Every structure is written in C-alpha cells, then in structure tokens.
Amino acid sequence: MKAVSTFLLAATLACELIFPKAATAETGSSQLSEGSYAQPELPVGRRYLGYGRLFTNDLFGDKKDRWRTGSLTSSRVWGYHWNGTLPDRLGELLELRLQGQIITPSRLTRYVPSDRRYATAISLGLHSHAQWRGLEVSMGADIVVIGDQTGLSSFQRELHELVGADLPAAGILANQIGNTIRPTFVAEFGQDIQLENSNLRPFAEVRAGDETLVRIGADLTFGGGGGELLVRESVTGQRYRVLFNEEPRWNFIIGGDVAYVEDSVYLPDNIGVDLKNNRYRLRAGVNWQGATSSVFYGLTYLSEEFENQPEGQLVGSVRLKFEF
C-alpha cells in the first residue's frame, strides 16, 4: 500500500510539472495564466487568475545528488483583475504558495558527522504582490513543516528504490533534522529599470523563520515580454511565471545575489557543523514561449552554506508547459 501511494504521488508530481489544466484565464486578447482550476469561495469580484511552478534538482545541474538536492515550488494566484501591472495595495492580489524540498549530505550511503544533516521540509503560505512608490513589493508568511513528519524521506527512499539510486543510510535518517514547525515571514522589494533591449531588476529580501537572512541582488532579462507576474523561488532565486502573456519570444536571464544568514533550522548550532554567514548565488536561464507552449531551464550556482562544505554546487530548474 505504501509503494502504491508513493507511485501515485510521483505520478501527480509529474503531471503537475508537465501538464497544467487546459483552461486558462484571459484578459483582453492575451492569455495570462498557466492553468485554471475550480475556484474556491472568495470575496465577490475576486477570481482565479493563474498558476505557476518550478522544479529544481541537481540532477539537472552537477548530477551529484547532494546538499540542496531537490525542490518543487508552485503558486496559485487570485485577484480582482490582471491588466499586466501590480495593484496599488497589498491584499488585492493573493498568492497561495506550496513548496517541498529535500536537503541531503554529500553521500547518502554513509553518515558523516562533519557533513550537513539530512532534512526535509514542506511549506504552505499566503503572499501578496503590489507596487508602492515605484517599487514592486512582495510580502507573505509561510508555515514550514520540517522533519520526518513530512513524509518526504519515505518518498525519496521509495523513489530511489524505483530507479535504482542510492538509498539514505539508517544513520543518516536517524540523525536528520528533527520534527518542528517554523512560521516564516518573507518580504522582497524590487524595481524594474528598462534598458535598451533588456530589463534590470535590483531587489532586496528579508526572511525570518526557518532561515533568518537579508539578501540583495539583481536580475537582468534580455528579450521581449512584460506584463507578467513572476515569483522568486527560495532555493535558487530563479523567478518563475505565474501570470504571463503568450507573445512568442525568447528570454535570456542572468542574475545573482549575496546574503547574510543569521541562523538556519537546517544548520543548527548543536550538531557540530558551523553555518557560513555569507552566501551567494549566480544564475542564468532561458525561456522559450510559443503560441501555446513554453519551456524554461535555469542553472544556478549555490555557494557553500557550512564551514566544512568543500565546494559549492550547481542545480538546474525546469518548467514545462504544453497545451494541445
């Protein structure tokens, strides 16, 4: 029965990644969402607007199955309307965000005390997006559930059994980050600066909860488009589309950021592995938008997160959308 439930979960994730719901919301002549689902009861005038997601795994990067090894993030957005610009007040555009992630030591087959601990986390949160005095503001809160209680360690084990990959050793699972729940607050402030044939977007972020940090960075986008809502994925900093127009085009993205990390539930003080306070990320991506389908691939370098980590890592992020 457990194997059947794991297979169903894997099949559901695959469908989420590749095949969003067929119907889409429209504003004017531009299609502005990745999917349409049954709308819950919400205040009069508010309606479902769109859906986005991003799958990140080191299988698409350095292929070494370690540290920030995998995550899946998805967002669903409701609002009164979408005309290609953010509303003037927080609370009008609401985003329900769900994320699952798995963090591992560098080797799954043997417990090494000097490496980081195995950890799994599932978060569910409500966020809002608005514009204020020329800035784009994103603000929200998540409940982050951490530890074996998430069920993700069992899912990874059975998935690895299915594909013949290494299984997490008993010592690794016995020493994983324990069950806890962390309320988490996240806020980002950014500004779009239009350049010739490109768009520069510097931003600043604060996060408090599962990890407490401040971050500054920028993203540079080449190509057409505009009038879209993009949401930043927390592991890589890649931004994925939730509300978009379907103008056929190519986009090329480069970006990076630096962070000061005060503490992290995934690297606590009492495990003998010291947190590095300074982190940086470098990323690049390409997005192809066709008449009805789109593909995004991004590659991100993540610097070391703890003192004994010998090197950084490369992870890849993928979003596929096909409509027939």
Side-chain angles (χ1 to χ4, degrees), residues 68 101 103 116-122 144-147 149 175-184 207-213 261-271 273 275 279 305:
R68 295 280 185 166
Q101 65 168 312
I103 302 171
R116 75 178 304 160
R117 299 296 190 266
Y118 185 95
T120 59
I122 292 177
V144 185
V145 181
I146 299 161
Q149 62 188 333
N175 288 278
Q176 68 182 291
I177 301 299
N179 290 342
T180 186
I181 297 176
R182 292 294 180 95
T184 299
R207 183 181 185 94
D210 64 336
E211 296 193 298
T212 300
L213 57 84
V261 185
E262 178 65 27
D263 62 68
S264 170
V265 69
Y266 311 112
L267 291 163
D269 295 333
N270 60 355
I271 64 171
V273 177
L275 167 78
R279 293 182 193 169
E305 295 188 1

Side-chain angles (χ1 to χ4, degrees), residues 149-225:
Q149 62 188 333
T150 65
L152 289 178
S153 58
S154 297
F155 170 69
Q156 186 190 38
R157 181 179 182 86
E158 296 190 21
L159 186 61
H160 278 209
E161 284 182 340
L162 186 65
V163 301
D166 290 338
L167 303 180
I172 287 176
L173 295 179
N175 288 278
Q176 68 182 291
I177 301 299
N179 290 342
T180 186
I181 297 176
R182 292 294 180 95
T184 299
F185 170 79
V186 184
E188 178 178 317
F189 302 86
Q191 184 176 31
D192 278 332
I193 302 173
Q194 294 295 327
L195 306 174
E196 186 176 359
N197 300 320
S198 63
N199 177 277
L200 176 65
R201 187 180 186 276
F203 72 94
E205 175 191 343
V206 294
R207 183 181 185 94
D210 64 336
E211 296 193 298
T212 300
L213 57 84
V214 293
R215 173 178 282 130
I216 58 171
D219 298 286
L220 182 63
T221 303
F222 301 90

Side-chain angles (χ1 to χ4, degrees), residues 18 20 34 53 244 246 292-294 319-323:
I18 300 175
E34 291 208 26
R53 77 282 189 201
F244 70 103
E246 290 188 343
T292 58
S293 303
S294 64
R319 190 206 69 231
L320 307 175
K321 171 179 171 282
F322 299 123
E323 292 184 5

Side-chain angles (χ1 to χ4, degrees), residues 17-32:
L17 289 171
I18 300 175
F19 300 108
K21 301 296 183 181
T24 55
E26 294 189 21
T27 299
S29 61
S30 296
Q31 301 249 356
L32 293 174

Side-chain angles (χ1 to χ4, degrees), residues 54-182:
L54 194 69
F55 179 51
T56 296
N57 198 287
D58 55 0
L59 175 66
F60 309 133
D62 57 26
K63 302 181 181 179
K64 295 185 178 180
D65 198 15
R66 58 181 182 169
W67 304 321
R68 295 280 185 166
T69 185
S71 67
L72 174 63
T73 308
S74 68
S75 298
R76 289 165 172 81
V77 172
W78 290 266
Y80 296 104
H81 66 278
W82 178 254
N83 60 7
T85 60
L86 292 171
D88 294 329
R89 293 182 298 175
L90 288 170
E92 292 189 11
L93 194 66
L94 298 178
E95 175 206 348
L96 183 67
R97 188 180 303 173
L98 175 66
Q99 183 186 70
Q101 65 168 312
I102 297 175
I103 302 171
T104 71
S106 59
R107 295 175 60 184
L108 283 175
T109 54
R110 183 167 63 92
Y111 171 62
V112 178
S114 60
D115 205 345
R116 75 178 304 160
R117 299 296 190 266
Y118 185 95
T120 59
I122 292 177
S123 66
L124 178 66
L126 187 65
H127 298 251
S128 187
H129 306 265
Q131 56 183 344
W132 175 74
R133 296 186 178 181
L135 296 177
E136 295 180 349
V137 181
S138 172
M139 195 172 295
D142 303 89
I143 297 297
V144 185
V145 181
I146 299 161
D148 189 56
Q149 62 188 333
T150 65
L152 289 178
S153 58
S154 297
F155 170 69
Q156 186 190 38
R157 181 179 182 86
E158 296 190 21
L159 186 61
H160 278 209
E161 284 182 340
L162 186 65
V163 301
D166 290 338
L167 303 180
I172 287 176
L173 295 179
N175 288 278
Q176 68 182 291
I177 301 299
N179 290 342
T180 186
I181 297 176
R182 292 294 180 95

Side-chain angles (χ1 to χ4, degrees), residues 37 46-47 53 59 84 99 152 174 187 192 239 286 315 324:
Y37 297 78
R46 199 189 299 272
R47 63 188 181 91
R53 77 282 189 201
L59 175 66
Q99 183 186 70
L152 289 178
D192 278 332
R239 300 174 76 210
V286 58
V315 297
F324 303 97

